[in-house]
Amino acid sequence: MRRSARRVCGLLASLLLLASCSAPQESPCVLAADEMPESWRPAGQVQEGLATGPWTASESEEAAFTVRKGVEEMAELYGRRPAAVADLWEDSVASLIEVTYGSANTAAVDELARDAARNNLTILIQPYQDRDPGEARCADYGSVLPLALYAHNQYQENDNRVGHMVDFANSAFAQCRSLSEAMEIDYEPLFAAGEASLEEAFDLMIWGLLLIEAQVVPGMEMPAESRGFPAELWRFFQGYPLPGAAQFPDGADDDEFIETAYLATHIAYIPTGNHRFPIYVEDAPNVYDFHRENFYAVLEMGELDLVAEFVDSLRQYGCTAENDLQVRDGTRYMLDVFHSGGDRWMAYREPGQTDEDVDDYDLIHKAWTAVLGVREREIEQPAPGNYGGVVRGWLPDPSAR
């Protein structure tokens, strides 16, 4: 039977009163392999390579060191190659600012990440500052909306750049005949059929994140269709097929499995807001089970970025290297990769990959995902007016049921 965060409820009835009671939520974290279902456990060669023993304080210090080094690596690359900022667009901001989400970092690390993220954001919005928002076209919406959201989150409230970018996004959307046109995805037939390609699913996921965040930005125009889209998308993903590694001839090395695995980790970003807010097993059992059942297959395959995203997702359920075996094993793997690269995340190369094979996005993505995977966190709580509060308006907290 699946270990989950489901509450155990009993219904007590009498002739005059019907009441319910609940036990505390069971933790979804599992520290011992023999407490896991067979399909979750390490086996064979991957098991032989795993270190045993409890997580230590020195390892926590080591992990914190790698977080700072990763932020420094990314900031240095952007400073040395300014063209990378435009090439990565909003990802040049996300790769840095997400380090501060649900932060348990030192104040110095968060300040370094925020300063570098704001510097990239300023570079990206500068060309818009001299443009009249009335010149915006529908085709601008996908590029401008994320910048407007980051401007709201990263600049002071009275900074005129915030209002200007919000106006630009509103003007761009006003030129669109529908949300589908704004997104450049005809999403309604996909939802109706319950099917979408992996590429379409990724695009839908990104729009879901944006349209949730936009709802907490003052002045951002959000028609009913835009507000309702994220909840529809979540229902779509709750039934989206996520075949595991065992269903592919090449296992975890299969390209389609790898793309599916990346999608599974990204689906978890929707309720969490890129891992600021909690996620519960009940939110999407298929997503939780996919992470658990494919974790060791991915670890054995050994792609740093994907291992990191699996660990990053599991941490958002409240699991840590101290209370969860998979998080501990994944974090130790990542620390070994870091040290094998001379204490640099960007030195990592996949099997057969050379320096000529990687571009700026590849280099950033290695450090970005690794830092998010190893970092400890203090998960933020949903509240009215924040991203998590919007989500829990249509996805109830299981503990409140």
Side-chain angles (χ1 to χ4, degrees):
M1 189 174 181
R2 181 191 310 123
R3 292 180 61 90
S4 73
R6 288 189 175 87
R7 294 187 308 144
V8 179
C9 292
L11 191 62
L12 305 177
S14 70
L15 293 174
L16 301 175
L17 178 66
L18 189 66
S20 65
C21 65
S22 62
Q25 274 193 307
E26 181 186 3
S27 170
C29 311
V30 190
L31 188 55
D34 60 7
E35 295 181 8
M36 294 179 173
E38 188 69 32
S39 61
W40 294 12
R41 299 178 189 175
Q45 187 175 356
V46 67
Q47 184 178 30
E48 295 172 5
L50 296 174
T52 58
W55 185 255
T56 66
S58 63
E59 287 177 305
S60 289
E61 293 175 2
E62 183 183 359
F65 170 74
T66 72
V67 171
R68 181 179 185 94
K69 292 292 289 186
V71 173
E72 291 174 347
E73 283 186 76
M74 290 188 284
E76 188 275 334
L77 186 148
Y78 289 127
R80 178 166 45 87
R81 296 212 282 265
V85 177
D87 287 344
L88 272 70
W89 203 248
E90 73 266 29
D91 282 345
S92 71
V93 182
S95 56
L96 292 158
I97 204 61
E98 288 176 8
V99 181
T100 71
Y101 288 173
S103 175
N105 305 323
T106 65
V109 168
D110 282 349
E111 182 178 7
L112 176 63
R114 290 190 180 106
D115 287 349
R118 277 193 294 266
N119 182 65
N120 289 352
L121 177 61
T122 299
I123 292 171
L124 293 175
I125 69 171
Q126 183 56 47
Y128 294 96
Q129 297 307 295
D130 298 327
R131 293 179 59 188
D132 183 343
E135 300 173 1
R137 303 167 300 156
C138 179
D140 293 325
Y141 191 60
S143 298
V144 173
L145 178 60
L147 301 186
L149 302 180
Y150 280 126
H152 168 259
N153 290 329
Q154 300 307 314
Y155 294 142
Q156 295 293 323
E157 185 178 355
N158 60 354
D159 192 312
N160 60 15
R161 291 174 292 184
V162 178
H164 186 82
M165 295 307 297
V166 169
D167 289 345
F168 214 104
N170 287 339
S171 182
F173 188 81
Q175 305 306 310
C176 303
R177 290 167 294 183
S178 66
L179 179 60
S180 289
E181 183 180 7
M183 298 193 303
E184 299 182 351
I185 307 172
D186 190 10
Y187 72 91
E188 291 179 315
L190 301 178
F191 285 178
E195 297 178 356
S197 68
L198 287 169
E199 183 178 357
E200 290 168 332
F202 268 103
D203 290 341
L204 290 168
M205 178 277 304
I206 292 170
W207 278 105
L209 296 173
L210 295 173
L211 294 177
I212 296 170
E213 192 75 55
Q215 295 181 47
V216 299
V217 176
M220 187 69 73
E221 295 174 6
M222 294 291 296
E225 184 182 9
S226 298
R227 291 180 178 274
F229 174 85
E232 288 187 70
L233 175 64
W234 188 247
R235 287 190 291 271
F236 170 79
F237 276 134
Q238 286 176 315
Y240 191 86
L242 297 171
Q247 299 180 49
F248 293 89
D250 294 328
D253 291 304
D254 188 280
D255 288 342
E256 184 177 346
F257 168 76
I258 292 171
E259 290 302 308
T260 300
Y262 275 115
L263 176 63
T265 64
H266 283 60
I267 290 173
Y269 294 161
I270 296 173
T272 64
N274 292 101
H275 294 346
R276 284 172 285 175
F277 300 96
I279 186 171
Y280 304 96
V281 175
E282 293 88 340
D283 290 340
N286 63 327
V287 173
Y288 177 78
D289 289 348
F290 183 91
H291 281 77
R292 289 303 196 182
E293 292 171 356
N294 292 283
F295 179 84
Y296 286 109
V298 167
L299 187 63
E300 185 171 17
M301 185 264 286
E303 183 175 311
L304 169 64
D305 311 52
L306 190 54
V307 173
E309 291 198 10
F310 267 62
V311 176
D312 188 24
S313 290
L314 290 174
R315 286 183 182 274
Q316 212 61 24
Y317 290 95
C319 301
T320 68
E322 290 88 352
N323 70 11
D324 191 272
L325 182 63
Q326 291 184 348
V327 172
R328 187 183 73 187
D329 288 341
T331 305
R332 282 176 171 164
Y333 162 81
M334 289 186 283
L335 295 180
D336 286 344
V337 167
F338 176 79
H339 294 310
S340 296
D343 287 1
R344 293 185 66 251
W345 292 117
M346 292 186 188
Y348 170 79
R349 297 291 180 270
E350 296 170 24
Q353 192 177 53
T354 67
D355 291 350
E356 290 71 31
D357 295 327
V358 297
D359 58 18
D360 288 337
Y361 180 82
D362 294 325
L363 293 171
I364 288 293
H365 197 259
K366 296 176 194 304
W368 178 8
T369 55
V371 164
L372 296 183
V374 301
R375 73 189 180 98
E376 297 180 3
R377 64 200 64 184
E378 296 174 1
I379 298 171
E380 300 176 30
Q381 294 305 306
N386 69 21
Y387 181 108
V390 172
V391 169
R392 292 301 154 186
W394 45 262
L395 188 62
D397 180 341
S399 65
R401 293 174 185 167

